[in-house]
Amino acid sequence: MTTAVCFDLDGTLVQYERPFPEFARAALSEHLETVSDDAADAYSEAFFDAFEALESDPFEAGMRAVLEAGGTGGDDADVAAMVEALREREFESASVSAAARDCLDELAADDDIRLALVTDGVGDWQRAKLERVGLADAFDEVIVSYDVGGHKADGAPYDAVRERIDADEYVMVGDDYEGDVEAAREAGFVPIHYEDDENDLFAVLRAML
């Protein structure tokens, strides 16, 4: 029996040294004279609005919202450079545990298992992150929500998995209950909820699968 085992990226395979809002604040601090709480909030609100709507560059939308909020001394700020600073801060904080790597290696060695990465995000950004943490070649398929026209909660990435991988059973491992558990179950996948710092789950997965 062939099993497709799908993993979420952020918060599941990849862990971060600090929370996401701190990446934006650090990036803003590199380019603006002052970074107020209002500026940081403007970034988050604009980013998530654009992200949920699948707008082409939610990171840029967030940075422009900061400048439009005013009072930062950033009239001449380079938005592209601000986005690049954000990316670097996020990527340098990302890591993959030895338990997660061992789990992926063992599953990949099983001829009856196909591995997929299923992540909500912008394609280029998420693929570059995979390169940075050394997981670019770990999967048979990499499915990013922006590339398939819908986030996991909408089901589009799960449809893409079924289209690209012919399997008898589909499993989804992730930390977000709505997208990785509820939506996966609705799509006919067996969901496995990953909770923060639960590295033992990877050992359990190796035994189960």
Side-chain angles (χ1 to χ4, degrees), residues 69-129:
T72 61
D75 292 341
D76 297 323
D78 183 335
V79 170
M82 293 165 66
V83 171
E84 184 57 33
L86 171 64
R87 182 159 112 158
E88 186 58 28
R89 297 292 78 74
E90 179 179 328
F91 285 18
E92 71 182 6
S93 179
S95 65
V96 180
S97 70
R101 292 186 190 276
D102 289 345
C103 179
L104 291 174
D105 288 343
E106 188 162 331
L107 295 178
D110 189 325
D111 291 338
D112 292 325
I113 289 178
R114 301 290 180 270
L115 291 178
L117 182 81
V118 183
T119 176
D120 282 344
V122 177
D124 291 347
W125 191 283
Q126 296 297 75
R127 291 174 193 277
K129 190 185 302 177

Coordinates of all heavy atoms in Angstrom, one line a residue, residues 69-129:
A69 N 1.8 54.6 7.0 CA 1.3 55.0 8.4 C 2.0 56.3 8.9 O 1.4 56.9 9.7 CB 1.6 53.8 9.4
G70 N 3.1 56.6 8.3 CA 3.8 57.9 8.6 C 4.5 57.9 9.9 O 4.3 57.0 10.8
G71 N 5.3 58.9 10.1 CA 5.9 59.1 11.4 C 7.1 58.3 11.7 O 7.6 58.2 12.8
T72 N 7.6 57.6 10.7 CA 8.8 56.6 10.9 C 10.1 57.2 10.4 O 11.1 56.6 10.6 CB 8.5 55.3 10.2 OG1 8.4 55.6 8.7 CG2 7.2 54.7 10.7
G73 N 10.0 58.3 9.7 CA 11.2 58.9 9.1 C 11.7 58.1 7.9 O 12.9 58.1 7.6
G74 N 10.8 57.3 7.3 CA 11.2 56.4 6.2 C 10.8 56.8 4.8 O 10.5 56.0 4.0
D75 N 10.7 58.1 4.6 CA 10.2 58.5 3.3 C 11.0 58.0 2.1 O 10.5 57.8 1.0 CB 10.1 60.1 3.2 CG 9.1 60.6 4.2 OD1 8.2 59.9 4.6 OD2 9.2 61.8 4.5
D76 N 12.3 57.9 2.3 CA 13.2 57.4 1.2 C 13.5 56.0 1.4 O 14.5 55.5 0.8 CB 14.5 58.3 1.2 CG 14.2 59.8 1.0 OD1 13.3 60.0 0.2 OD2 14.9 60.6 1.6
A77 N 12.8 55.2 2.2 CA 13.1 53.8 2.4 C 12.9 53.0 1.2 O 12.0 53.3 0.3 CB 12.2 53.3 3.5
D78 N 13.8 52.0 1.0 CA 13.7 51.1 -0.2 C 12.9 49.9 0.3 O 13.3 49.1 1.0 CB 15.1 50.7 -0.5 CG 15.2 49.8 -1.8 OD1 14.2 49.1 -2.1 OD2 16.2 49.8 -2.4
V79 N 11.7 49.8 -0.3 CA 10.7 48.7 0.1 C 11.3 47.4 -0.2 O 11.2 46.4 0.6 CB 9.4 48.9 -0.6 CG1 8.5 47.7 -0.4 CG2 8.7 50.2 0.0
A80 N 11.9 47.2 -1.4 CA 12.5 45.9 -1.7 C 13.6 45.5 -0.8 O 13.7 44.4 -0.4 CB 13.1 46.0 -3.2
A81 N 14.4 46.5 -0.3 CA 15.5 46.2 0.6 C 14.9 45.8 2.0 O 15.4 45.0 2.7 CB 16.4 47.4 0.8
M82 N 13.8 46.5 2.3 CA 13.1 46.1 3.6 C 12.6 44.7 3.6 O 12.7 44.0 4.6 CB 12.0 47.1 3.9 CG 12.5 48.5 4.1 SD 11.1 49.8 4.0 CE 10.1 49.3 5.4
V83 N 12.0 44.3 2.5 CA 11.5 42.9 2.3 C 12.7 41.9 2.4 O 12.6 40.9 3.0 CB 10.7 42.8 1.0 CG1 10.4 41.3 0.8 CG2 9.4 43.6 1.0
E84 N 13.8 42.3 1.7 CA 14.9 41.4 1.7 C 15.5 41.3 3.2 O 15.9 40.2 3.6 CB 16.0 41.9 0.8 CG 17.2 41.0 0.7 CD 16.9 39.6 0.2 OE1 15.9 39.4 -0.6 OE2 17.6 38.6 0.7
A85 N 15.5 42.3 3.9 CA 15.9 42.3 5.3 C 15.0 41.4 6.1 O 15.5 40.6 7.0 CB 16.0 43.7 5.9
L86 N 13.7 41.5 5.9 CA 12.8 40.6 6.6 C 13.1 39.1 6.2 O 13.1 38.3 7.1 CB 11.4 41.0 6.1 CG 10.3 40.0 6.6 CD1 10.1 40.0 8.1 CD2 8.9 40.4 6.0
R87 N 13.3 38.9 5.0 CA 13.5 37.5 4.6 C 14.8 36.9 5.2 O 14.8 35.8 5.8 CB 13.7 37.4 3.0 CG 13.9 36.0 2.5 CD 13.5 35.9 1.1 NE 14.7 35.7 0.3 CZ 14.6 35.1 -1.0 NH1 13.5 34.8 -1.5 NH2 15.7 35.0 -1.7
E88 N 15.8 37.7 5.3 CA 17.1 37.3 5.9 C 16.9 37.1 7.4 O 17.4 36.1 7.9 CB 18.2 38.3 5.7 CG 19.5 37.9 6.1 CD 20.0 36.6 5.5 OE1 19.6 36.3 4.4 OE2 20.8 35.8 6.2
R89 N 16.2 37.9 8.1 CA 15.9 37.8 9.5 C 15.2 36.5 9.8 O 15.4 35.7 10.7 CB 15.2 39.0 10.1 CG 15.9 40.3 10.0 CD 17.1 40.4 10.9 NE 18.3 39.7 10.3 CZ 19.0 40.2 9.3 NH1 18.7 41.3 8.7 NH2 20.1 39.5 8.9
E90 N 14.1 36.2 8.9 CA 13.3 35.0 9.1 C 14.2 33.8 8.8 O 14.2 32.8 9.6 CB 12.1 35.0 8.2 CG 11.2 33.8 8.3 CD 10.0 33.8 7.4 OE1 9.5 34.9 7.1 OE2 9.6 32.8 6.9
F91 N 14.9 33.8 7.7 CA 15.6 32.6 7.3 C 16.8 32.3 8.3 O 17.0 31.1 8.6 CB 16.2 32.8 5.9 CG 15.2 32.7 4.8 CD1 13.9 32.8 5.1 CD2 15.6 32.5 3.5 CE1 12.9 32.7 4.0 CE2 14.7 32.3 2.5 CZ 13.4 32.5 2.7
E92 N 17.4 33.3 8.8 CA 18.6 33.0 9.7 C 18.1 32.5 11.1 O 18.9 31.8 11.8 CB 19.4 34.3 9.9 CG 18.8 35.3 10.8 CD 19.6 36.6 10.9 OE1 20.7 36.7 10.3 OE2 19.2 37.5 11.7
S93 N 16.8 32.7 11.4 CA 16.2 32.2 12.6 C 15.7 30.7 12.5 O 15.4 30.1 13.5 CB 15.1 33.1 13.1 OG 14.5 32.6 14.3
A94 N 15.6 30.3 11.2 CA 14.9 29.0 11.0 C 15.9 27.8 11.2 O 17.1 27.9 10.9 CB 14.4 28.9 9.5
S95 N 15.4 26.7 11.8 CA 16.2 25.5 12.0 C 15.3 24.3 11.9 O 14.1 24.4 12.0 CB 16.9 25.5 13.3 OG 15.9 25.5 14.4
V96 N 15.9 23.1 11.6 CA 15.2 21.9 11.5 C 15.9 20.9 12.5 O 17.1 20.8 12.5 CB 15.3 21.3 10.1 CG1 14.6 19.9 10.0 CG2 14.7 22.2 9.1
S97 N 15.1 20.3 13.4 CA 15.7 19.4 14.4 C 16.2 18.1 13.8 O 15.8 17.7 12.7 CB 14.6 19.0 15.4 OG 13.6 18.2 14.8
A98 N 17.2 17.5 14.5 CA 17.7 16.3 14.1 C 16.6 15.2 14.0 O 16.7 14.3 13.1 CB 18.8 15.8 15.0
A99 N 15.7 15.3 14.9 CA 14.6 14.3 14.9 C 13.8 14.4 13.6 O 13.4 13.4 13.0 CB 13.7 14.5 16.1
A100 N 13.5 15.6 13.2 CA 12.7 15.8 11.9 C 13.5 15.3 10.7 O 13.0 14.7 9.8 CB 12.4 17.3 11.8
R101 N 14.8 15.6 10.7 CA 15.6 15.2 9.5 C 15.7 13.6 9.5 O 15.6 13.0 8.4 CB 17.0 15.8 9.6 CG 17.1 17.3 9.4 CD 18.5 17.8 9.4 NE 18.6 19.2 9.5 CZ 18.4 20.0 8.4 NH1 18.2 19.5 7.2 NH2 18.5 21.3 8.5
D102 N 15.9 13.0 10.6 CA 16.0 11.5 10.7 C 14.7 10.9 10.2 O 14.7 9.9 9.5 CB 16.3 11.1 12.1 CG 17.7 11.4 12.5 OD1 18.5 11.7 11.6 OD2 18.0 11.3 13.7
C103 N 13.5 11.5 10.6 CA 12.2 11.0 10.2 C 12.1 11.1 8.7 O 11.7 10.1 8.1 CB 11.1 11.9 10.9 SG 9.5 11.4 10.5
L104 N 12.4 12.3 8.1 CA 12.3 12.4 6.7 C 13.2 11.4 5.9 O 12.8 10.8 4.9 CB 12.6 13.8 6.3 CG 11.6 14.9 6.7 CD1 12.2 16.3 6.3 CD2 10.3 14.7 6.0
D105 N 14.4 11.2 6.4 CA 15.3 10.3 5.8 C 14.8 8.9 5.8 O 14.9 8.1 4.8 CB 16.7 10.4 6.5 CG 17.5 11.6 6.2 OD1 17.1 12.4 5.2 OD2 18.4 11.9 6.9
E106 N 14.3 8.5 6.9 CA 13.8 7.1 7.1 C 12.5 6.9 6.2 O 12.4 5.9 5.6 CB 13.5 6.8 8.5 CG 13.2 5.3 8.8 CD 13.3 4.9 10.2 OE1 14.1 5.5 10.9 OE2 12.6 4.0 10.6
L107 N 11.6 7.9 6.2 CA 10.4 7.7 5.4 C 10.8 7.7 3.9 O 10.2 6.9 3.1 CB 9.5 8.9 5.7 CG 8.9 8.9 7.1 CD1 7.9 10.1 7.2 CD2 8.1 7.6 7.4
A108 N 11.7 8.5 3.5 CA 12.1 8.6 2.1 C 12.7 7.3 1.6 O 12.7 6.9 0.4 CB 13.1 9.7 1.9
A109 N 13.3 6.5 2.5 CA 13.9 5.2 2.2 C 12.9 4.1 2.0 O 13.3 3.0 1.5 CB 14.9 4.8 3.2
D110 N 11.7 4.3 2.3 CA 10.6 3.4 2.2 C 10.0 3.5 0.8 O 9.4 4.5 0.5 CB 9.6 3.6 3.3 CG 8.5 2.4 3.4 OD1 8.2 1.9 2.3 OD2 8.1 2.1 4.5
D111 N 10.0 2.4 0.0 CA 9.5 2.5 -1.3 C 8.0 2.7 -1.4 O 7.4 3.0 -2.5 CB 9.9 1.2 -2.1 CG 11.3 1.1 -2.4 OD1 12.0 2.1 -2.4 OD2 11.8 0.0 -2.6
D112 N 7.3 2.4 -0.3 CA 5.8 2.6 -0.3 C 5.4 3.9 0.2 O 4.2 4.1 0.4 CB 5.2 1.5 0.6 CG 5.4 0.1 0.0 OD1 5.4 0.0 -1.2 OD2 5.6 -0.9 0.8
I113 N 6.3 4.8 0.5 CA 5.9 6.1 1.0 C 6.4 7.2 0.0 O 7.5 7.2 -0.5 CB 6.6 6.4 2.4 CG1 5.9 5.5 3.4 CG2 6.5 7.9 2.8 CD1 6.5 5.6 4.8
R114 N 5.5 8.2 -0.2 CA 5.8 9.4 -1.0 C 5.7 10.5 -0.1 O 4.8 10.7 0.7 CB 4.8 9.5 -2.2 CG 4.8 8.4 -3.1 CD 6.1 8.3 -4.0 NE 6.0 7.2 -4.9 CZ 6.4 5.9 -4.6 NH1 6.9 5.7 -3.4 NH2 6.4 5.0 -5.5
L115 N 6.7 11.4 -0.1 CA 6.8 12.6 0.8 C 6.4 13.8 0.0 O 6.8 14.1 -1.1 CB 8.2 12.7 1.3 CG 8.6 11.7 2.3 CD1 10.1 12.0 2.8 CD2 7.7 11.6 3.6
A116 N 5.6 14.6 0.7 CA 5.2 15.9 0.1 C 5.3 17.0 1.2 O 5.0 16.8 2.4 CB 3.7 15.9 -0.4
L117 N 5.7 18.2 0.8 CA 5.6 19.4 1.6 C 4.3 20.1 1.2 O 4.2 20.4 0.0 CB 6.8 20.3 1.5 CG 6.8 21.5 2.4 CD1 7.3 21.1 3.8 CD2 7.6 22.6 1.8
V118 N 3.5 20.5 2.2 CA 2.3 21.2 1.9 C 2.3 22.4 2.8 O 2.1 22.3 4.0 CB 1.0 20.4 2.1 CG1 -0.2 21.1 1.7 CG2 1.1 19.1 1.3
T119 N 2.5 23.6 2.2 CA 2.6 24.8 3.0 C 1.8 26.0 2.5 O 1.7 26.2 1.3 CB 4.1 25.2 3.1 OG1 4.3 26.4 3.8 CG2 4.8 25.3 1.7
D120 N 1.3 26.7 3.4 CA 0.7 28.0 3.0 C 1.8 29.0 2.9 O 2.6 29.2 3.9 CB -0.3 28.5 4.1 CG -1.6 27.8 4.0 OD1 -1.9 27.1 3.0 OD2 -2.4 27.9 5.0
G121 N 1.9 29.7 1.8 CA 3.0 30.7 1.6 C 3.1 31.1 0.2 O 2.4 30.6 -0.7
V122 N 4.1 32.0 0.0 CA 4.5 32.5 -1.4 C 5.5 31.5 -1.9 O 6.5 31.2 -1.2 CB 5.0 33.9 -1.3 CG1 5.4 34.4 -2.7 CG2 3.9 34.8 -0.7
G123 N 5.3 31.0 -3.1 CA 6.2 30.0 -3.7 C 7.7 30.3 -3.6 O 8.4 29.4 -3.0
D124 N 8.1 31.4 -4.1 CA 9.6 31.6 -4.2 C 10.1 31.7 -2.8 O 11.2 31.3 -2.5 CB 9.8 33.0 -4.9 CG 9.6 32.8 -6.4 OD1 9.4 31.7 -6.9 OD2 9.5 33.9 -7.1
W125 N 9.4 32.3 -1.9 CA 9.8 32.5 -0.5 C 10.0 31.2 0.2 O 11.0 30.9 0.8 CB 8.8 33.4 0.3 CG 9.2 33.9 1.6 CD1 9.3 33.2 2.8 CD2 9.6 35.3 1.9 NE1 9.6 34.0 3.8 CE2 9.9 35.3 3.3 CE3 9.8 36.4 1.2 CZ2 10.3 36.5 4.0 CZ3 10.1 37.6 1.8 CH2 10.4 37.6 3.2
Q126 N 9.0 30.3 0.1 CA 9.0 29.0 0.8 C 10.1 28.1 0.2 O 10.8 27.4 0.9 CB 7.6 28.4 0.8 CG 6.6 29.1 1.5 CD 6.8 29.3 3.0 OE1 7.7 30.0 3.5 NE2 6.1 28.5 3.8
R127 N 10.2 28.1 -1.1 CA 11.2 27.3 -1.7 C 12.6 27.7 -1.4 O 13.5 26.9 -1.2 CB 11.0 27.3 -3.2 CG 9.8 26.5 -3.7 CD 9.5 26.7 -5.2 NE 8.2 26.2 -5.5 CZ 7.8 25.0 -5.7 NH1 8.7 24.0 -5.6 NH2 6.5 24.7 -5.9
A128 N 12.8 29.0 -1.3 CA 14.1 29.5 -0.9 C 14.4 29.1 0.6 O 15.6 28.8 0.9 CB 14.2 31.1 -1.0
K129 N 13.4 29.1 1.4 CA 13.6 28.7 2.8 C 14.0 27.2 2.9 O 14.9 26.8 3.6 CB 12.3 28.9 3.6 CG 12.4 28.8 5.1 CD 11.0 28.9 5.7 CE 10.4 30.2 5.4 NZ 9.0 30.3 6.0

